[in-house]
Amino acid sequence: SVLAVTEENQPVLNCFGLHEWAMLYRPEGAVIPPSLEYQKDVLPLRVSQDEINAAVERRGVQCTHVDAIRFFAPTALPLNLHQAA
């Protein structure tokens, strides 16, 4: 059952919220991710695109949350250590 499998798996407690950064990840030459389209008419971010990219590339992403992964920038998906099954 789903509960038995969940109980058997080790928890992932070190994602550090980088799924939010993975939604905005955009290396040079990449298409604008859908999440940035939603951000265009709101307050600017407090960090630069280069800082976002560096954080995601340096640490990688360790996200198992399906609802977060589906909003990742396409270029961030391969950087996630937990690939969706």
Side-chain angles (χ1 to χ4, degrees):
S1 77
V2 171
L3 293 177
V5 172
T6 302
E7 184 179 21
E8 292 171 7
N9 287 325
Q10 292 294 315
V12 176
L13 304 173
N14 55 350
C15 109
F16 305 112
L18 284 173
H19 65 278
E20 299 287 348
W21 296 60
M23 293 177 195
L24 301 175
Y25 177 70
R26 181 174 42 125
E28 189 173 327
V31 297
I32 295 175
S35 54
L36 275 179
E37 282 294 315
Y38 303 124
Q39 294 288 328
K40 65 184 174 188
D41 296 323
V42 297
L43 295 172
L45 298 173
R46 293 186 270 176
V47 296
S48 71
Q49 186 66 56
D50 288 340
E51 290 171 303
I52 292 170
N53 293 349
V56 172
E57 291 165 0
R58 182 176 54 251
R59 295 194 63 104
V61 183
Q62 298 187 45
C63 186
T64 60
H65 187 201
V66 174
D67 284 337
I69 293 170
R70 68 187 179 125
F71 291 108
F72 276 21
T75 50
L77 287 170
L79 300 175
N80 189 16
L81 300 177
H82 302 281
Q83 297 299 316

